[in-house]
Amino acid sequence: MKLLIAALLTAASLSICAAPSVIAGDKPVSPTKPIVKNPLAEADRQLKAAEAKWKKKRPEHYSYTLQRSCFCAPDYRKPIEIRVFRGKVQQASLLPEGTPLPTERKAEALPVEGLFRMIREAIVNKSASVTVKYNATYGYPTSISIDRDRMMADEEVYLSASNFKIASGLKPKQQK
């Protein structure tokens, strides 16, 4: 009998120790992740701060690599090297080959302002999730994750921007 009581007391102690932390009102507390009441409002705040930084420091000429992750054909997942001259895409090449981006895909070659536009549209259209990381120095997006509808499969957008370089001597490509 004493063994049974000891076992019950031990089990009760362990279950109390394993219970979640509580505060007044019995609401669980998560010490590692802050609660964000309106994630889209936070995404909008971060976007505005990044755009302000970009407008302040934006180089006239730059290049970067944009890569999409998706459930799509392998060619659509290849990185695109994008060269921007005076705010307009001057050249877009598929990597690693360096071949020009096909004409029917030119809309995928976005200047940084185009990435900002995509993020803003996702926020305005109340996407289910908008998660973006921005470069600390210039403010351009380095990682974009947009889930337009949680109930729909394979419509998510995942983009990463890397290899950002200021190109002071970038010249327009020569027309033949």
Side-chain angles (χ1 to χ4, degrees):
M1 182 66 145
K2 287 182 185 179
L3 189 58
L4 179 61
I5 292 173
L8 289 173
L9 288 175
T10 302
S13 312
L14 290 175
S15 67
I16 290 171
C17 292
S21 301
V22 292
I23 57 172
D26 294 327
K27 294 180 181 176
V29 176
S30 175
T32 57
K33 196 172 187 182
I35 297 172
V36 178
K37 292 184 181 184
N38 186 345
L40 290 178
E42 178 61 17
D44 187 50
R45 185 196 65 73
Q46 291 175 358
L47 172 62
K48 287 175 181 171
E51 283 181 303
K53 189 178 286 189
W54 176 254
K55 285 177 184 174
K56 186 176 180 182
K57 297 187 172 194
R58 176 186 68 193
E60 189 173 18
H61 316 300
Y62 61 92
S63 66
Y64 77 101
T65 303
L66 184 64
Q67 185 162 15
R68 171 187 301 239
S69 296
C70 60
F71 294 103
C72 51
D75 278 353
Y76 287 85
R77 292 190 303 259
K78 285 185 177 181
I80 304 169
E81 181 183 45
I82 300 169
R83 295 169 57 113
V84 178
F85 181 76
R86 294 188 180 149
K88 298 197 185 294
V89 173
Q90 181 62 37
Q91 186 176 357
S93 305
L94 290 173
L95 297 177
E97 302 88 0
T99 56
L101 186 66
T103 305
E104 66 272 8
R105 293 184 55 199
K106 290 291 184 189
E108 295 173 39
L110 299 170
V112 169
E113 291 82 0
L115 298 176
F116 286 139
R117 210 171 17 260
M118 177 188 299
I119 296 163
R120 185 175 303 97
E121 287 171 5
I123 293 168
V124 168
N125 292 327
K126 298 185 180 350
S127 292
S129 172
V130 178
T131 306
V132 184
K133 292 181 184 172
Y134 298 95
N135 175 272
T137 304
Y138 290 96
Y140 64 87
T142 58
S143 172
I144 302 170
S145 173
I146 299 170
D147 184 359
R148 290 180 173 82
D149 185 343
R150 285 202 202 290
M151 302 304 287
M152 192 179 298
D154 301 339
E155 47 58 70
E156 301 88 356
V157 174
Y158 302 104
L159 298 170
S160 63
S162 60
N163 302 320
F164 182 82
K165 295 177 189 142
I166 296 172
S168 59
L170 188 66
K171 296 181 179 164
K173 68 180 181 181
Q174 300 298 315
Q175 299 296 324
K176 294 182 182 181

